[in-house]
Amino acid sequence: MAVFTDAEITPLVVAGVPFLGGITALMMVGVLMMRVNKAPSGEGAQIAIANQISEGAVAFLKTEYKYLLPFVAAVAAFIVGILESQDAPPMYSIAPDLTDPNWAPVASLKKGGWQTMLCFLAGAALSAGAGWAGMSVATKTNVKTMEAARSGLNQALQIAFAGGAVMGFSVVAFGILGLTVLFYIFAVAQSSPDASGGQELDMRDAIRYLSGFGFGASSIALFARVAGGIYTKAADVGADLVGKVEANIPEDDPRNPATVADNVGDNVGDVAGMGADLFESFCGSIIACAALSNNLREMALPFWISGFGILAATIGFWTVSTKDDASQTDLLHALHRGVYTASVLVIVFAIACVEILFDGSKQGYRYFGCIILGLVAGILIGEATEFCTSYAYGPTKSITHAGSAGGAATVIIQGLGIGMISVLPPTIIIVSTVIACFNVGGSGNEGVYGIAIAAVGMLSTLGVTLATDAYGPVADNAGGIAEMSPDVPDEVRERTDKLDALGNTTAATGKGFAIGSAVLTALSLMNAFVKDVPYTVGTNDRALGSALTLTDPYVLSGVIFGAMLPFLFAALTMLSVRKAAGAIIVEVQRQFRDIPGLLEGKEGVVCDHMACVTMCTKASVDEMLIPGILAVMTPISVGLLVGAKCLGGLLAGSISSGFMLAVMMSNAGGAWDNSKKYIENEKVYGGKKSDTHKACVVGDTVGDPFKDTSGPALNILIKLMTIFSLTMAPVFRSDWKTYWYGLIVLAVEIIFVGAAYHYVWVVNGEECVPPEEKK
């Protein structure tokens, strides 16, 4: 006998377990912050350097959020206007007996514009809040990690990992609490009569409104990832090219004016940016899975799995520790122990969920199998990424060897080849997971739901998984502070270098995990979009799935156009990094030239770090305008102008090409980075300052925007377009039915892009004139 009858699956039952999980995550954040705050920060120059990094990061976020306020307000108004202008509320397939010949879809009583807008604002606010909380603690933890490294490697690892875990648990806490509280409020407040569908209708409405929450999270994630990525790589490229290549001074040398901006960028890009990215994936996977559910038990399952996953991640966190003389392998195993422990516990908790919600039925255990497949896929993608990007393996070593044979050009050629071939393993893993989950889930609607619950399973341990990734920038900053601070013992820098090298590996695997989870989430959101669009063929008003045929010219046109969008998006972000980095290069060269004694290291002579911080902040928030406008407005333009079929093709094309391009760019960039680290850490091919090292520095510089700007930003692009399409699903129709609205939106998009282009590339652009022609 089941624990709950169908009538007993109430909003409280659905939201209760995840709400308690969110409270657990909040308590964990409090414990971790106490642990970090108790750790000593040291004294002297290291405090001043850490304060500069913290102030720069806060200044960036304040500027970014100030730019985002009018955008959020405009989109909120657009959501209300579009959804409330529908002819009628959407329909749901709610019936106790589908074999009843008199069965008919049930209409919602609400159009949902205002409710979706409130969810959109909540999603944006909570995503921004999670990023702020995680980054604030990360910028406090860096100097504490360096100070702990004076005592030993394990102490430094514990503090750095605790700082990174604040980001991880803030993301899951804010995400799950936001979803469950809003779900409960909307599901209970409407009180629809039983004759109209009753409680299930109210819960379906609540899930529909929550698509706005996912869109709000996506919007913040897009700008955090793009602006943060442009910031961090503009500073990094500028610091490397002038410092290491031109001036021949070490990385993080205090004489380099761009070093503080570089360390700030690690936080805004790899902590706040990655946190916002995975916040959206975490929330989006739950929303998509619930939207695809065929009954209330299936609706409750993704919430419960995510709630129990938080408990599993909490336990997994406390298993991470190492010894003071640990090798890189020991350190990696320490972090893996936390992730694998959490994954095993999720499997145990998933069995409990199936027994309670599905009474241990065969279908329940089919979904359990899909959850396991999602967990395994996440781990395998991480392992494949590590193989392609770690210098412990052949692919990255081959890039270094190519540099010894032919210089920078062969480094770039080899790295591009490695990046392209690295697409193969994750593609096989994702394709196998999708096919396996569809068949294990039971084919049909249950199979589609199985794919969605696999994405939830993959992200269920996000609290500890994100901690292993966010820990990297903390360790990197700790090493930078140690390098810039005088009188720091060599063993401290050696310990922080070990942690930093580990951070490079976890960052690469974290990006692979983020891409894999983004693809599964985007596929689930696309399926939910297809299910919800009122595309009418005959008497069937939900016929979009059968209309999306490969021979249809509208679908094919959408696929081709959608496949182009990730390349356009990546190109815009790459060009933005180059432009912003050019300004930093000029500024660093100016300070080396105009400040007497700076490059020579004369005592008492200091550079102006904050000039580079200010330049990076302005450039990054300006440059995010055009990619952001295109990502948000293109799907709605195509969907209203041409129709739902073309938009469906666009989403399929963008997911496919965006996945491939993101993997290629992230892995190529990671391999280039570690080909340089291979020389520096293992002292091979002549060590630092050798010709091979200089060639690999050039490759690393090319790879920086690949792995930290364009590649990761593509995750957000494919998720944002699918979640926005799902949010707006009720307004899309068949071919050309709403073309007048589409023409208006397209005209507004063209005007916005033109204005942004004029401001960013004309008013604040560069003058492309050869030096010989300047007067």
Side-chain angles (χ1 to χ4, degrees):
M1 180 177 176
V3 175
F4 298 107
T5 64
D6 290 342
E8 290 173 340
I9 306 288
T10 64
L12 182 61
V13 170
V14 173
V17 169
F19 181 80
L20 293 176
I23 296 298
T24 301
L26 272 186
M27 293 171 62
M28 189 68 177
V29 169
V31 170
L32 293 170
M33 291 181 69
M34 289 173 58
R35 185 177 188 180
V36 170
N37 289 335
K38 284 182 180 178
S41 300
E43 57 187 15
Q46 64 197 55
I47 299 296
I49 296 166
N51 287 339
Q52 284 184 318
I53 295 171
S54 179
E55 289 167 7
V58 169
F60 167 81
L61 280 189
K62 284 182 177 178
T63 304
E64 181 184 47
Y65 292 165
K66 183 176 70 175
Y67 270 62
L68 284 176
L69 280 175
F71 165 80
V72 169
V75 173
F78 179 79
I79 289 173
V80 174
I82 288 289
L83 293 182
E84 289 295 330
S85 66
Q86 299 176 77
D87 295 333
M91 309 286 286
Y92 297 116
S93 300
I94 299 174
D97 183 7
L98 297 179
T99 62
D100 183 354
N102 298 317
W103 171 84
V106 177
S108 171
L109 303 180
K110 305 284 186 181
K111 293 182 178 179
W114 293 100
Q115 296 90 332
T116 304
M117 181 205 71
L118 291 174
C119 289
F120 168 77
L121 294 175
L126 288 172
S127 178
W132 183 283
M135 199 198 66
S136 296
V137 174
T139 53
K140 290 180 182 177
T141 310
N142 49 24
V143 69
K144 295 175 182 287
T145 300
M146 194 220 82
E147 185 66 19
R150 295 178 187 270
S151 302
L153 185 62
N154 184 47
Q155 292 90 326
L157 174 65
Q158 294 287 337
I159 295 299
F161 192 56
V166 171
M167 181 77 255
F169 285 99
S170 294
V171 162
V172 295
F174 287 22
I176 202 70
L177 288 175
L179 287 174
T180 52
V181 170
L182 288 168
F183 171 81
Y184 184 80
I185 290 172
F186 288 123
V188 170
Q190 295 190 159
S191 300
S192 298
D194 290 340
S196 301
Q199 181 174 264
E200 183 171 353
L201 176 64
D202 293 338
M203 294 166 76
R204 293 284 175 193
D205 274 342
I207 295 298
R208 174 164 59 95
Y209 306 150
L210 285 179
S211 64
F213 186 95
F215 178 47
S218 279
S219 301
I220 297 300
L222 176 74
F223 293 112
R225 240 336 181 182
V226 172
I230 292 170
Y231 186 114
T232 183
K233 291 305 108 180
D236 196 2
V237 170
D240 283 355
L241 286 182
V242 183
K244 290 197 288 189
V245 177
E246 285 187 15
N248 206 24
I249 60 177
E251 187 171 5
D252 293 322
D253 192 291
R255 292 170 289 177
N256 193 329
T259 51
V260 169
D262 186 9
N263 283 284
V264 170
D266 291 334
N267 291 285
V268 300
D270 293 336
V271 178
M274 175 64 87
D277 181 354
L278 289 169
F279 180 95
E280 198 284 324
S281 288
F282 180 71
C283 297
S285 65
I286 297 171
I287 294 165
C289 193
L292 289 167
S293 61
N294 303 295
N295 53 60
L296 295 183
R297 297 178 188 279
E298 292 180 5
M299 183 185 291
L301 185 58
F303 286 96
W304 280 41
I305 292 296
S306 300
F308 279 120
I310 293 173
L311 178 60
T314 302
I315 297 170
F317 170 84
W318 297 110
T319 65
V320 175
S321 63
T322 192
K323 53 190 178 181
D324 283 339
D325 59 344
S327 65
Q328 281 297 302
T329 302
D330 294 331
L331 289 170
L332 195 59
H333 286 166
L335 295 186
H336 281 175
R337 190 186 312 124
V339 175
Y340 293 158
T341 300
S343 298
V344 170
L345 289 173
V346 164
I347 293 173
V348 175
F349 292 143
I351 294 175
C353 292
V354 169
E355 289 292 334
I356 295 171
L357 290 174
F358 294 88
D359 194 27
S361 68
K362 181 179 179 181
Q363 188 60 47
Y365 275 101
R366 282 178 175 272
Y367 295 147
F368 169 72
C370 295
I371 293 168
I372 293 178
L373 287 170
L375 280 168
V376 172
I379 293 171
L380 290 178
I381 288 174
E383 295 294 334
T385 305
E386 183 180 337
F387 175 77
C388 293
T389 58
S390 172
Y391 67 68
Y393 304 103
T396 298
K397 288 181 177 179
S398 73
I399 297 175
T400 309
H401 181 72
S404 70
T410 48
V411 164
I412 292 170
I413 292 169
Q414 185 76 9
L416 284 173
I418 295 297
M420 290 175 184
I421 204 169
S422 73
V423 172
L424 178 63
T427 300
I428 292 174
I429 293 166
I430 289 293
V431 169
S432 301
T433 302
V434 168
I435 294 174
C437 288
F438 182 75
N439 287 281
V440 170
S443 301
N445 291 334
E446 289 79 11
V448 173
Y449 178 86
I451 298 170
I453 199 65
V456 175
M458 182 184 288
L459 289 157
S460 59
T461 59
L462 183 61
V464 69
T465 305
L466 180 53
T468 63
D469 189 38
Y471 136 90
V474 174
D476 191 3
N477 272 202
I481 293 171
E483 182 69 32
M484 288 186 278
S485 303
D487 304 324
V488 172
D490 290 341
E491 64 265 20
V492 172
R493 180 65 191 189
E494 289 173 3
R495 288 165 183 160
T496 58
D497 279 348
K498 280 189 175 183
L499 295 179
D500 184 22
L502 175 64
N504 285 333
T505 300
T506 59
T509 55
K511 287 182 177 68
F513 174 81
I515 293 168
S517 64
V519 172
L520 280 183
T521 300
L523 288 172
S524 303
L525 290 167
M526 186 180 72
N527 281 321
F529 159 79
V530 171
K531 178 183 176 182
D532 286 359
V533 170
Y535 187 94
T536 304
V537 176
T539 58
N540 184 359
D541 70 343
R542 289 293 187 274
L544 181 58
S546 59
L548 288 172
T549 59
L550 288 178
T551 55
D552 188 289
Y554 291 113
V555 176
L556 276 175
S557 299
V559 169
I560 294 169
F561 188 79
M564 174 275 299
L565 286 175
F567 288 88
L568 175 62
F569 193 82
L572 290 169
T573 52
M574 289 281 287
L575 291 171
S576 296
V577 169
R578 209 289 315 155
K579 179 177 167 228
I584 297 299
I585 289 170
V586 171
E587 174 62 20
V588 174
Q589 290 172 333
R590 183 196 66 78
Q591 291 197 33
F592 280 159
R593 183 178 63 250
D594 296 348
I595 301 178
L598 175 60
L599 191 55
E600 293 78 12
K602 187 176 179 181
E603 188 174 352
V605 177
V606 295
C607 59
D608 182 5
H609 289 291
M610 298 313 291
C612 291
V613 170
T614 303
M615 292 176 68
C616 282
T617 299
K618 185 180 186 309
S620 59
V621 295
D622 286 348
E623 299 288 345
M624 73 181 181
L625 293 176
I626 298 177
I629 293 167
L630 290 172
V632 171
M633 299 196 70
T634 299
I636 193 79
S637 298
V638 171
L640 290 175
L641 178 63
V642 185
K645 281 195 302 187
C646 189
L647 177 55
L650 181 150
L651 296 178
S654 64
I655 291 170
S656 300
S657 75
F659 172 40
M660 306 301 167
L661 190 59
V663 172
M664 188 281 288
M665 298 185 85
S666 293
N667 286 354
W672 273 319
D673 185 10
N674 282 326
S675 71
K676 176 197 69 176
K677 287 286 196 298
Y678 178 43
I679 296 173
E680 294 173 349
N681 295 344
E682 303 300 326
K683 298 177 176 57
V684 294
Y685 292 98
K688 287 186 179 182
K689 300 184 180 180
S690 66
D691 289 341
T692 305
H693 181 250
K694 289 179 180 178
C696 289
V697 167
V698 173
D700 175 39
T701 305
V702 173
D704 277 337
F706 269 53
K707 67 182 176 66
D708 290 324
T709 307
S710 300
L714 293 173
N715 305 342
I716 315 288
L717 177 70
I718 61 176
K719 289 182 294 182
L720 184 141
M721 291 198 297
T722 50
I723 191 70
F724 192 27
S725 299
L726 174 61
T727 304
M728 295 288 108
V731 306
F732 298 124
R733 298 292 185 272
S734 55
D735 307 331
W736 307 108
K737 286 290 182 68
T738 55
Y739 77 95
W740 271 112
Y741 297 105
L743 286 173
I744 293 170
V745 175
L746 180 61
V748 172
E749 180 179 5
I750 292 171
I751 291 169
F752 282 178
V753 170
Y757 176 83
H758 180 76
Y759 172 70
V760 174
W761 291 94
V762 178
V763 176
N764 295 302
E766 295 177 306
E767 186 181 6
C768 298
V769 179
E772 296 84 358
E773 296 182 13
K774 290 183 178 180
K775 295 183 180 179

mmCIF file of all heavy atoms in Angstrom, residues 67-95:
data_model
loop_
_atom_site.group_PDB
_atom_site.id
_atom_site.type_symbol
_atom_site.label_atom_id
_atom_site.label_comp_id
_atom_site.label_asym_id
_atom_site.label_seq_id
_atom_site.Cartn_x
_atom_site.Cartn_y
_atom_site.Cartn_z
ATOM 1 N N TYR A 67 23.305 48.004 -14.051
ATOM 2 C CA TYR A 67 22.949 47.875 -15.467
ATOM 3 C C TYR A 67 21.755 46.937 -15.650
ATOM 4 O O TYR A 67 20.942 47.122 -16.561
ATOM 5 C CB TYR A 67 24.139 47.309 -16.260
ATOM 6 C CG TYR A 67 25.083 48.348 -16.815
ATOM 7 C CD1 TYR A 67 25.793 49.199 -15.971
ATOM 8 C CD2 TYR A 67 25.302 48.460 -18.176
ATOM 9 C CE1 TYR A 67 26.678 50.141 -16.474
ATOM 10 C CE2 TYR A 67 26.177 49.396 -18.697
ATOM 11 C CZ TYR A 67 26.870 50.236 -17.837
ATOM 12 O OH TYR A 67 27.744 51.157 -18.338
ATOM 13 N N LEU A 68 21.655 45.908 -14.804
ATOM 14 C CA LEU A 68 20.624 44.893 -14.982
ATOM 15 C C LEU A 68 19.241 45.349 -14.511
ATOM 16 O O LEU A 68 18.229 44.804 -14.965
ATOM 17 C CB LEU A 68 21.015 43.615 -14.228
ATOM 18 C CG LEU A 68 22.101 42.758 -14.886
ATOM 19 C CD1 LEU A 68 22.470 41.588 -13.998
ATOM 20 C CD2 LEU A 68 21.638 42.257 -16.242
ATOM 21 N N LEU A 69 19.179 46.315 -13.613
ATOM 22 C CA LEU A 69 17.885 46.743 -13.076
ATOM 23 C C LEU A 69 16.900 47.183 -14.164
ATOM 24 O O LEU A 69 15.762 46.706 -14.193
ATOM 25 C CB LEU A 69 18.081 47.854 -12.034
ATOM 26 C CG LEU A 69 18.493 47.390 -10.633
ATOM 27 C CD1 LEU A 69 18.770 48.593 -9.736
ATOM 28 C CD2 LEU A 69 17.409 46.507 -10.020
ATOM 29 N N PRO A 70 17.293 48.091 -15.075
ATOM 30 C CA PRO A 70 16.333 48.460 -16.126
ATOM 31 C C PRO A 70 15.981 47.299 -17.045
ATOM 32 O O PRO A 70 14.838 47.196 -17.510
ATOM 33 C CB PRO A 70 17.048 49.583 -16.891
ATOM 34 C CG PRO A 70 18.488 49.475 -16.525
ATOM 35 C CD PRO A 70 18.523 48.902 -15.153
ATOM 36 N N PHE A 71 16.932 46.406 -17.307
ATOM 37 C CA PHE A 71 16.646 45.228 -18.134
ATOM 38 C C PHE A 71 15.594 44.348 -17.462
ATOM 39 O O PHE A 71 14.612 43.916 -18.095
ATOM 40 C CB PHE A 71 17.925 44.432 -18.373
ATOM 41 C CG PHE A 71 17.688 43.035 -18.896
ATOM 42 C CD1 PHE A 71 17.417 42.825 -20.235
ATOM 43 C CD2 PHE A 71 17.716 41.946 -18.038
ATOM 44 C CE1 PHE A 71 17.174 41.545 -20.717
ATOM 45 C CE2 PHE A 71 17.476 40.666 -18.508
ATOM 46 C CZ PHE A 71 17.206 40.467 -19.856
ATOM 47 N N VAL A 72 15.793 44.063 -16.174
ATOM 48 C CA VAL A 72 14.849 43.217 -15.441
ATOM 49 C C VAL A 72 13.461 43.850 -15.415
ATOM 50 O O VAL A 72 12.443 43.178 -15.614
ATOM 51 C CB VAL A 72 15.369 42.952 -14.011
ATOM 52 C CG1 VAL A 72 14.299 42.299 -13.153
ATOM 53 C CG2 VAL A 72 16.618 42.074 -14.053
ATOM 54 N N ALA A 73 13.414 45.162 -15.190
ATOM 55 C CA ALA A 73 12.123 45.862 -15.154
ATOM 56 C C ALA A 73 11.418 45.790 -16.508
ATOM 57 O O ALA A 73 10.201 45.533 -16.585
ATOM 58 C CB ALA A 73 12.335 47.312 -14.742
ATOM 59 N N ALA A 74 12.166 45.990 -17.592
ATOM 60 C CA ALA A 74 11.570 45.961 -18.935
ATOM 61 C C ALA A 74 11.052 44.567 -19.277
ATOM 62 O O ALA A 74 9.946 44.415 -19.822
ATOM 63 C CB ALA A 74 12.601 46.422 -19.964
ATOM 64 N N VAL A 75 11.838 43.539 -18.957
ATOM 65 C CA VAL A 75 11.410 42.167 -19.273
ATOM 66 C C VAL A 75 10.202 41.775 -18.422
ATOM 67 O O VAL A 75 9.282 41.096 -18.903
ATOM 68 C CB VAL A 75 12.577 41.183 -19.065
ATOM 69 C CG1 VAL A 75 12.092 39.744 -19.213
ATOM 70 C CG2 VAL A 75 13.682 41.455 -20.070
ATOM 71 N N ALA A 76 10.184 42.198 -17.168
ATOM 72 C CA ALA A 76 9.033 41.906 -16.304
ATOM 73 C C ALA A 76 7.755 42.494 -16.902
ATOM 74 O O ALA A 76 6.705 41.825 -16.950
ATOM 75 C CB ALA A 76 9.279 42.461 -14.901
ATOM 76 N N ALA A 77 7.846 43.737 -17.369
ATOM 77 C CA ALA A 77 6.680 44.374 -17.996
ATOM 78 C C ALA A 77 6.286 43.639 -19.274
ATOM 79 O O ALA A 77 5.092 43.456 -19.563
ATOM 80 C CB ALA A 77 6.984 45.842 -18.293
ATOM 81 N N PHE A 78 7.282 43.194 -20.041
ATOM 82 C CA PHE A 78 7.011 42.466 -21.291
ATOM 83 C C PHE A 78 6.279 41.158 -20.999
ATOM 84 O O PHE A 78 5.332 40.787 -21.709
ATOM 85 C CB PHE A 78 8.337 42.206 -22.000
ATOM 86 C CG PHE A 78 8.202 41.445 -23.288
ATOM 87 C CD1 PHE A 78 7.798 42.083 -24.450
ATOM 88 C CD2 PHE A 78 8.479 40.083 -23.345
ATOM 89 C CE1 PHE A 78 7.674 41.385 -25.639
ATOM 90 C CE2 PHE A 78 8.366 39.375 -24.520
ATOM 91 C CZ PHE A 78 7.958 40.036 -25.678
ATOM 92 N N ILE A 79 6.702 40.442 -19.964
ATOM 93 C CA ILE A 79 6.068 39.165 -19.614
ATOM 94 C C ILE A 79 4.597 39.375 -19.282
ATOM 95 O O ILE A 79 3.718 38.641 -19.751
ATOM 96 C CB ILE A 79 6.815 38.515 -18.423
ATOM 97 C CG1 ILE A 79 8.191 37.999 -18.874
ATOM 98 C CG2 ILE A 79 5.997 37.372 -17.826
ATOM 99 C CD1 ILE A 79 9.064 37.504 -17.739
ATOM 100 N N VAL A 80 4.328 40.391 -18.460
ATOM 101 C CA VAL A 80 2.931 40.666 -18.102
ATOM 102 C C VAL A 80 2.115 41.021 -19.346
ATOM 103 O O VAL A 80 1.016 40.492 -19.568
ATOM 104 C CB VAL A 80 2.846 41.813 -17.072
ATOM 105 C CG1 VAL A 80 1.383 42.197 -16.825
ATOM 106 C CG2 VAL A 80 3.491 41.400 -15.765
ATOM 107 N N GLY A 81 2.660 41.913 -20.163
ATOM 108 C CA GLY A 81 1.925 42.358 -21.335
ATOM 109 C C GLY A 81 1.614 41.238 -22.299
ATOM 110 O O GLY A 81 0.484 41.111 -22.801
ATOM 111 N N ILE A 82 2.594 40.375 -22.583
ATOM 112 C CA ILE A 82 2.404 39.289 -23.545
ATOM 113 C C ILE A 82 1.448 38.228 -23.008
ATOM 114 O O ILE A 82 0.497 37.812 -23.683
ATOM 115 C CB ILE A 82 3.762 38.656 -23.914
ATOM 116 C CG1 ILE A 82 4.575 39.608 -24.789
ATOM 117 C CG2 ILE A 82 3.565 37.336 -24.632
ATOM 118 C CD1 ILE A 82 4.047 39.777 -26.197
ATOM 119 N N LEU A 83 1.681 37.756 -21.774
ATOM 120 C CA LEU A 83 0.876 36.657 -21.251
ATOM 121 C C LEU A 83 -0.551 37.090 -20.931
ATOM 122 O O LEU A 83 -1.500 36.317 -21.127
ATOM 123 C CB LEU A 83 1.548 36.056 -20.005
ATOM 124 C CG LEU A 83 2.873 35.325 -20.248
ATOM 125 C CD1 LEU A 83 3.416 34.743 -18.960
ATOM 126 C CD2 LEU A 83 2.712 34.218 -21.290
ATOM 127 N N GLU A 84 -0.717 38.298 -20.439
ATOM 128 C CA GLU A 84 -2.074 38.749 -20.119
ATOM 129 C C GLU A 84 -2.874 39.119 -21.374
ATOM 130 O O GLU A 84 -4.086 39.289 -21.316
ATOM 131 C CB GLU A 84 -2.028 39.943 -19.169
ATOM 132 C CG GLU A 84 -1.581 39.600 -17.751
ATOM 133 C CD GLU A 84 -2.565 38.688 -17.030
ATOM 134 O OE1 GLU A 84 -3.778 38.760 -17.311
ATOM 135 O OE2 GLU A 84 -2.104 37.870 -16.197
ATOM 136 N N SER A 85 -2.200 39.244 -22.523
ATOM 137 C CA SER A 85 -2.905 39.572 -23.765
ATOM 138 C C SER A 85 -3.393 38.323 -24.498
ATOM 139 O O SER A 85 -3.946 38.413 -25.595
ATOM 140 C CB SER A 85 -1.994 40.379 -24.699
ATOM 141 O OG SER A 85 -0.888 39.595 -25.136
ATOM 142 N N GLN A 86 -3.182 37.131 -23.922
ATOM 143 C CA GLN A 86 -3.672 35.904 -24.540
ATOM 144 C C GLN A 86 -5.194 35.948 -24.684
ATOM 145 O O GLN A 86 -5.895 36.570 -23.881
ATOM 146 C CB GLN A 86 -3.316 34.688 -23.677
ATOM 147 C CG GLN A 86 -1.842 34.444 -23.464
ATOM 148 C CD GLN A 86 -1.623 33.282 -22.512
ATOM 149 O OE1 GLN A 86 -1.754 32.135 -22.882
ATOM 150 N NE2 GLN A 86 -1.309 33.582 -21.260
ATOM 151 N N ASP A 87 -5.683 35.241 -25.678
ATOM 152 C CA ASP A 87 -7.129 35.166 -25.862
ATOM 153 C C ASP A 87 -7.800 34.399 -24.722
ATOM 154 O O ASP A 87 -8.909 34.729 -24.301
ATOM 155 C CB ASP A 87 -7.456 34.475 -27.196
ATOM 156 C CG ASP A 87 -6.977 35.295 -28.388
ATOM 157 O OD1 ASP A 87 -6.892 36.525 -28.258
ATOM 158 O OD2 ASP A 87 -6.678 34.683 -29.432
ATOM 159 N N ALA A 88 -7.102 33.367 -24.229
ATOM 160 C CA ALA A 88 -7.669 32.543 -23.150
ATOM 161 C C ALA A 88 -6.529 31.866 -22.397
ATOM 162 O O ALA A 88 -5.425 31.708 -22.933
ATOM 163 C CB ALA A 88 -8.610 31.492 -23.736
ATOM 164 N N PRO A 89 -6.770 31.460 -21.155
ATOM 165 C CA PRO A 89 -5.730 30.735 -20.407
ATOM 166 C C PRO A 89 -5.401 29.400 -21.075
ATOM 167 O O PRO A 89 -6.200 28.879 -21.868
ATOM 168 C CB PRO A 89 -6.381 30.522 -19.035
ATOM 169 C CG PRO A 89 -7.468 31.541 -18.950
ATOM 170 C CD PRO A 89 -7.965 31.724 -20.344
ATOM 171 N N PRO A 90 -4.255 28.814 -20.768
ATOM 172 C CA PRO A 90 -3.859 27.540 -21.393
ATOM 173 C C PRO A 90 -4.695 26.368 -20.883
ATOM 174 O O PRO A 90 -5.418 26.470 -19.892
ATOM 175 C CB PRO A 90 -2.387 27.395 -20.994
ATOM 176 C CG PRO A 90 -2.254 28.200 -19.747
ATOM 177 C CD PRO A 90 -3.200 29.343 -19.886
ATOM 178 N N MET A 91 -4.543 25.236 -21.571
ATOM 179 C CA MET A 91 -5.280 24.011 -21.239
ATOM 180 C C MET A 91 -4.309 22.984 -20.654
ATOM 181 O O MET A 91 -3.125 22.966 -20.981
ATOM 182 C CB MET A 91 -5.934 23.430 -22.490
ATOM 183 C CG MET A 91 -6.774 24.405 -23.301
ATOM 184 S SD MET A 91 -8.337 24.791 -22.533
ATOM 185 C CE MET A 91 -9.241 23.275 -22.844
ATOM 186 N N TYR A 92 -4.848 22.093 -19.792
ATOM 187 C CA TYR A 92 -4.053 21.017 -19.209
ATOM 188 C C TYR A 92 -4.752 19.684 -19.444
ATOM 189 O O TYR A 92 -5.991 19.617 -19.515
ATOM 190 C CB TYR A 92 -3.880 21.209 -17.697
ATOM 191 C CG TYR A 92 -3.126 22.452 -17.305
ATOM 192 C CD1 TYR A 92 -3.761 23.452 -16.582
ATOM 193 C CD2 TYR A 92 -1.794 22.621 -17.644
ATOM 194 C CE1 TYR A 92 -3.085 24.591 -16.198
ATOM 195 C CE2 TYR A 92 -1.102 23.766 -17.275
ATOM 196 C CZ TYR A 92 -1.752 24.746 -16.554
ATOM 197 O OH TYR A 92 -1.072 25.882 -16.191
ATOM 198 N N SER A 93 -3.929 18.634 -19.527
ATOM 199 C CA SER A 93 -4.472 17.279 -19.660
ATOM 200 C C SER A 93 -4.643 16.693 -18.264
ATOM 201 O O SER A 93 -3.770 15.995 -17.755
ATOM 202 C CB SER A 93 -3.537 16.409 -20.505
ATOM 203 O OG SER A 93 -3.389 16.948 -21.794
ATOM 204 N N ILE A 94 -5.759 17.016 -17.614
ATOM 205 C CA ILE A 94 -6.041 16.546 -16.264
ATOM 206 C C ILE A 94 -7.307 15.706 -16.317
ATOM 207 O O ILE A 94 -8.385 16.189 -16.656
ATOM 208 C CB ILE A 94 -6.256 17.716 -15.286
ATOM 209 C CG1 ILE A 94 -4.984 18.573 -15.214
ATOM 210 C CG2 ILE A 94 -6.624 17.199 -13.902
ATOM 211 C CD1 ILE A 94 -5.160 19.818 -14.383
ATOM 212 N N ALA A 95 -7.165 14.411 -16.014
ATOM 213 C CA ALA A 95 -8.348 13.545 -15.999
ATOM 214 C C ALA A 95 -8.050 12.312 -15.162
ATOM 215 O O ALA A 95 -6.985 11.712 -15.303
ATOM 216 C CB ALA A 95 -8.736 13.134 -17.410
#
